[in-house]
Amino acid sequence: MSLLDTINSPADLRQLDEKQLKLLADELRSFLLGSVAQTGGHLSSNLGSVELSIALHYVYDTPGDRIVWDVGHQTYAHKILTGRKGAMAGLRRGGGIAGFPRREESEYDAFGVGHSSTSISAALGMAEAFHQTGSGHRAVAVIGDGAMTAGMAFEALNNAGATELPLLVILNDNDMSISPPVGALNNYLAKLMSGQFYAKAKKASDLVLSKMPPIKELAKRAEEHMKGMVVPGTLFEEFGFNYIGPIDGHDLDVLVETLRNIRKLDGPQFLHVVTRKGKGYEPAEANPCLYHGVGSFDPAVGITEKVSAKPTYTQIFGDWLCDMAAHDQRLVAITPAMREGSGLVRFSEEYPKRYFDVGIAEQHALTFAAGLACEGEKPVVAIYSTFLQRAYDQLIHDIALQNLDVTLAIDRAGPVGADGATHAGSFDLSFLRCIPNMLIATPSDENECRKLLTTAFMHNGPSAVRYPRGGGPGATLEEGLDPVPVAKSITRREGCKVAFLAFGTVLAECIKAAEELDATVVDMRFVKPLDEARILELARTHELLVTVEENAVMGGAGSAVSECLAANNATARTTHLGLIDRFLEQDTQENQRIACGLDAGSLIKKVHELLSE
């Protein structure tokens, strides 16, 4: 039996001799690689956090002590150590365990995550709760260097630094983006500065020297100078944290001793840990981006970057962006740290001076775009639907209120499959539609996506085009960059009695259903402004109007149709189909759509039920 097979909980882990931890790390990394190669998932970041996960559960008394993992891309080792090794075969699959920490899944998942930069705020709240109840438990936030670019992380640091709470923030720096390579000297100093002797000596000297302000100030400057020579901690110490590190995040001896020392300290502590993405698997170390999110693959062979014969909507957008940039020199592209995911790699290479990755800072991305628009540029913000939620005030106050010419290219609209509820684009039509000055388009296929992106870009004012994850039906792409008339729908099929009003890529399933039902199908194209004339005409000529969308029904495109009918005193039997009123659990996109009744078979069944009433 392997050492890993004996670990069913952190309590089992804490029974091991410290000398056994290195072997456990090797076994855990090997199991993790084999498991993710079978199921797919996030690989590079998880290979890099094996030792850190072991050390945290070895030193801290979990689940009483709380470990809050930011985003969750680095928690597979944590899941395995907390009794979910056998469940890894169902990772990110329907009915299986989630790819991110989830409170409903385990008592060891202290906080549900998926969006970036929330860990410090949540852990601070937990630390304050422990203080209020006198429990003596500790709270730890583990945050990556990418997530530290978000304003929310610094808001939490600012708040935490003004307290005396024993909060530990661990910066898992896996891109070497902040510090140079670390060595024995830095590890030694980190252990020294985290020890009780250093903490007590510093406190005692502060008390003594406080009677002599000039000497105390001189000593403080000398200390800062010495620490600044070997650690980049000045910024975090200014926030009120005791900075420790950087240390080697793959050296278990150093990690365990440093964490033991820190757990005894009072006040906010900041530990800087340097790890390597893809650690232990050479292909992932060489290309961590390629191995960030993977499908099934053979570890002995590795994976190669593939270009699908049928382009995804993301690729359609990326190609359109380059074509439009060649046509209009004012176009600039902005992404909040999603260059690859949003299809901006080609643009960043061909137009580097017009490409801006602002980091994980969605609020800043939109107001930065607003500033560019004020001076005559035409910014396109490429952003996932679920991340646009994080910048809602900026969209309303900084863009729409001033009617600025900013185009939102909204990727991952609707169900997203294995990423589940945290990444599903379920609400954008509802929260966009109520904003004045907005133009909102929902392309039904790849060619419509290009044309509606052009229309939105040429529109003088704020606009949004939403499209789903993955590929479309394979429509032939027209050449050129011609816009389409705003608020003009297209009738894709003429029928009788029933009319499907399709918003977006649900059109294909509507057409399949209409063939059996002999129904009319209208590709609505625009949610705002609507083609009101066509809606009123359909209300006069059909017994039943069925709106279909991949968005929450409440407040979505269907609601807009009902509002149009009511405003014009039109009476028509109408039903609205869209995403169900609960968060979409992880599964395949096809199964998620079936669960919401958005496949052709479900549409046919629903219409028959309505007509028989």
Side-chain angles (χ1 to χ4, degrees), residues 290-291 301-306:
L290 178 61
Y291 285 85
V301 177
I303 59 178
T304 56
E305 297 183 77
K306 297 179 181 179

Side-chain angles (χ1 to χ4, degrees), residues 101-226:
R102 186 175 181 183
R103 284 170 56 84
E104 298 91 335
E105 187 176 293
S106 171
E107 62 180 335
Y108 293 96
D109 289 359
F111 195 73
V113 294
H115 288 188
S116 167
S117 315
T118 61
S119 60
I120 305 175
S121 299
L124 177 61
M126 294 171 186
E128 179 59 41
F130 294 151
H131 174 70
Q132 294 283 344
T133 60
S135 71
H137 290 308
R138 299 296 175 114
V140 180
V142 184
I143 185 169
D145 52 299
M148 282 297 297
T149 63
M152 185 176 178
F154 284 91
E155 291 173 14
L157 286 174
N158 185 56
N159 187 187
T163 74
E164 294 298 324
L165 297 172
L167 170 70
L168 170 59
V169 175
I170 297 178
L171 172 61
N172 182 14
D173 179 4
N174 54 25
D175 273 330
M176 308 300 286
S177 57
I178 297 177
S179 64
V182 298
L185 176 61
N186 279 329
N187 289 335
Y188 169 76
L189 288 169
K191 289 190 289 184
L192 179 67
M193 287 188 290
S194 68
Q196 286 285 307
F197 175 78
Y198 175 83
K200 290 179 178 178
K202 186 174 185 296
K203 185 174 182 180
S205 65
D206 284 349
L207 180 63
V208 172
L209 294 175
S210 65
K211 307 298 182 182
M212 296 175 285
I215 298 178
K216 179 185 177 184
E217 181 63 25
L218 178 63
K220 180 181 179 183
R221 290 182 180 179
E223 178 192 36
E224 290 177 349
H225 176 68
M226 292 302 295

Side-chain angles (χ1 to χ4, degrees), residues 16 32 59 71 97 115 145 194 197 199 216 325 340 368 378 496 547 575 594-595:
L16 297 181
L32 198 156
V59 172
V71 182
I97 61 173
H115 288 188
D145 52 299
S194 68
F197 175 78
K216 179 185 177 184
E340 288 78 14
F368 174 55
K378 288 183 68 67
C496 59
T547 68
T575 193
I594 291 172

Side-chain angles (χ1 to χ4, degrees), residues 4-5 43 59-60 82 89 107 109 183 207 213 220 264 270 346 348 435 454 500 525 527 577:
L4 180 60
D5 288 335
L43 184 61
V59 172
Y60 281 83
T82 54
E107 62 180 335
D109 289 359
L207 180 63
K220 180 181 179 183
K264 301 172 186 176
F270 193 99
R346 180 187 158 198
S348 68
I435 303 175
T454 300
F500 286 107
R525 277 183 163 173
V527 175
L577 303 180

Side-chain angles (χ1 to χ4, degrees), residues 569-590:
N569 295 317
T571 56
R573 190 179 181 195
T574 307
T575 193
H576 305 311
L577 303 180
L579 302 184
I580 52 180
D581 187 24
R582 65 173 183 264
F583 292 106
L584 296 180
E585 299 294 339
Q586 64 189 39
D587 206 331
T588 64
Q589 284 177 283
E590 180 183 6

